[in-house]
Amino acid sequence: MTGAPARSTSASPTARQVWTRTRGLLLGLVVVLAAGIVIAAVRSGDHHGRLDPRSADPSGSRAVAELLKDRGVTTRVVTTLGQATDAATEDSTLLVTTPDLLTGPQQKQLRTAMRDSASRTVLVAPGAPSAPTLAPGVHVERRTTVSPRPPRCTLPAALRAGDADTGGMRYTTEAADAEACYPSDDLATLLRVPHPTGGDTVLLGAPDILYNDRLDQQGNASLALQLLGSRPHLVWYLPSLDDASATDGGESSFYDLVPPGWLWATLQLALAAALTAVWRARRLGPLVTERLPVAVRASETTEGRARLYRSADARDRAADTLRSATRTRLAPLLGVPATRAHTADALLPAVSSHLPTTGRDLRALLFGPAPSDDAGLIRLADELDALEREVRAS
């Protein structure tokens, strides 16, 4: 009577199994990709960024540009220093939205263009990194909150606008002809410094009067239009790190472009993360013996481990486990010390002397390579079991 053919036990996954395991991940990737395309399409219209005259976002400045257009003022958006300095003429106003983003050489080049022209330059919230260079003699003081404030100065534009949402950076200067407006604790949040050539520089402590959602409050619109619309042309400069002039001269590094406050904030966040890790880390104490809530049969443990080996296609580990267990059980039966049970020079002579007539290749059986397939692993288990029975019976 012939036995039934052995059933294939290959652990190689089928195409259906691969699809079942990966379809969730693929579906997630498709959803993320589709969401990214939709968001990019939605934001590709009027969404340009903060203080951008093309942006209709609450923090954009499109409303100011439209009002200036109605008054006959043309607005030109530039993103490089070369474009900004070329456009700085006596009939233009240059608005610099983020002067602190400019490197040292860029600030000096811009200052030269401002001094040589009779244009008006409006600097939005310049801090300590840029104000001393772009407005010599001006000192930056501690920030204050943005709130409606009266002008309290003789600047015509401020008097006509009345109360406005000002604050942010505060400035002082020793220039006798400077006009300090909208003070906070006697420190100006809007400072106008005239040039000997006929132009002037206006330092605006906070950008709020230029935002779309703040333009209709207080005298913000009036103040913004008078500061930016005193000349027929407005050059709206949005500094960018992509500007080639930011790397000219080789004097600036990445850290030069990072405001000092960001470096301290990063250090504080790193320290907070370390403290949180120490606080929430697992405390490893001495080992404690616990009683298992249920009794698990040895056969169930064996079957569970076997399934894990099969799912991982780990025939080498399964073979090592079978051989190691067999050598451990054979050693005391053959008088081999337990410390040398896994040494071929000690175990193989003992097995050969105990079973002199065996025809097996004991070295390949007990210390050989891993089987190449599941059928070979099954044969190995059967041969190891037969060898152990013969030793016990002899």
Side-chain angles (χ1 to χ4, degrees), residues 289-307:
T289 303
E290 297 184 8
R291 298 187 52 158
L292 293 177
V294 295
V296 180
R297 292 183 298 175
S299 59
E300 293 182 6
T301 305
T302 303
E303 292 176 2
R305 179 172 294 185
R307 292 191 186 97

Side-chain angles (χ1 to χ4, degrees), residues 43-304:
R43 296 185 63 88
S44 63
D46 296 333
H47 299 265
H48 292 277
R50 176 178 170 273
L51 288 178
D52 194 312
R54 300 161 296 184
S55 174
D57 290 344
S59 60
S61 301
R62 185 161 141 187
V64 175
E66 292 295 330
L67 292 176
L68 290 171
K69 180 180 178 181
D70 293 340
R71 297 181 56 166
V73 178
T74 62
T75 300
R76 177 188 175 189
V77 179
V78 298
T79 57
T80 65
L81 181 62
Q83 294 173 330
T85 54
D86 291 343
T89 60
E90 60 181 1
D91 61 346
S92 66
T93 298
L94 175 62
L95 172 67
V96 185
T97 57
T98 50
D100 286 354
L101 195 61
L102 300 175
T103 63
Q106 285 181 309
Q107 294 175 19
K108 294 177 182 178
Q109 184 177 347
L110 179 59
R111 174 60 186 171
T112 300
M114 294 163 53
R115 185 181 61 247
D116 295 342
S117 68
S119 64
R120 162 171 284 184
T121 303
V122 179
L123 305 175
V124 179
S130 62
T133 301
L134 297 178
V138 174
H139 305 283
V140 180
E141 306 296 337
R142 187 168 54 88
R143 295 176 61 97
T144 185
T145 58
V146 176
S147 61
R149 289 185 170 85
R152 294 180 184 173
C153 66
T154 59
L155 182 65
L159 292 175
R160 286 191 290 266
D163 292 359
D165 291 328
T166 55
M169 297 293 184
R170 297 184 296 176
Y171 309 101
T172 59
T173 182
E174 298 177 357
D177 53 352
E179 296 179 274
C181 300
Y182 298 98
S184 171
D185 295 334
D186 297 327
L187 300 177
T189 61
L190 187 152
L191 182 66
R192 175 184 174 272
V193 181
H195 297 171
T197 57
D200 60 6
T201 298
V202 177
L203 292 86
L204 186 61
D208 293 63
I209 65 171
L210 303 177
Y211 289 155
N212 291 328
D213 63 343
R214 303 290 290 272
L215 197 62
D216 60 345
Q217 301 177 20
Q218 310 298 328
N220 296 348
S222 175
L223 183 59
L225 294 178
Q226 292 181 82
L227 293 179
L228 304 182
S230 61
R231 288 164 172 77
H233 303 292
L234 172 62
V235 181
W236 202 295
Y237 181 24
L238 300 170
S240 171
L241 294 176
D242 296 333
D243 188 355
S245 65
T247 58
D248 290 346
E251 300 179 4
S252 301
S253 65
F254 170 78
Y255 296 101
D256 296 328
L257 303 178
V258 179
W262 284 79
L263 297 177
W264 283 109
T266 303
L267 179 61
Q268 292 174 6
L269 289 175
L271 180 60
L275 293 176
T276 302
V278 173
W279 170 48
R280 299 295 297 174
R282 176 176 295 178
R283 304 298 189 268
L284 299 179
L287 295 178
V288 177
T289 303
E290 297 184 8
R291 298 187 52 158
L292 293 177
V294 295
V296 180
R297 292 183 298 175
S299 59
E300 293 182 6
T301 305
T302 303
E303 292 176 2

Side-chain angles (χ1 to χ4, degrees), residues 318-383:
D320 289 343
T321 301
L322 292 173
R323 285 175 169 142
S324 177
T326 300
R327 294 194 298 263
T328 300
R329 291 191 295 268
L330 288 177
L333 298 177
L334 301 172
V336 177
T339 57
R340 306 196 64 191
H342 306 289
T343 304
D345 294 340
L347 185 65
L348 293 179
V351 177
S352 298
S353 62
H354 206 76
L355 299 174
T357 59
T358 182
R360 299 182 181 88
D361 185 356
L362 296 178
R363 180 175 293 274
L365 179 59
L366 293 173
F367 297 94
S372 58
D373 53 20
D374 288 348
L377 184 62
I378 295 174
R379 287 195 301 272
L380 174 63
D382 291 340
E383 292 177 5

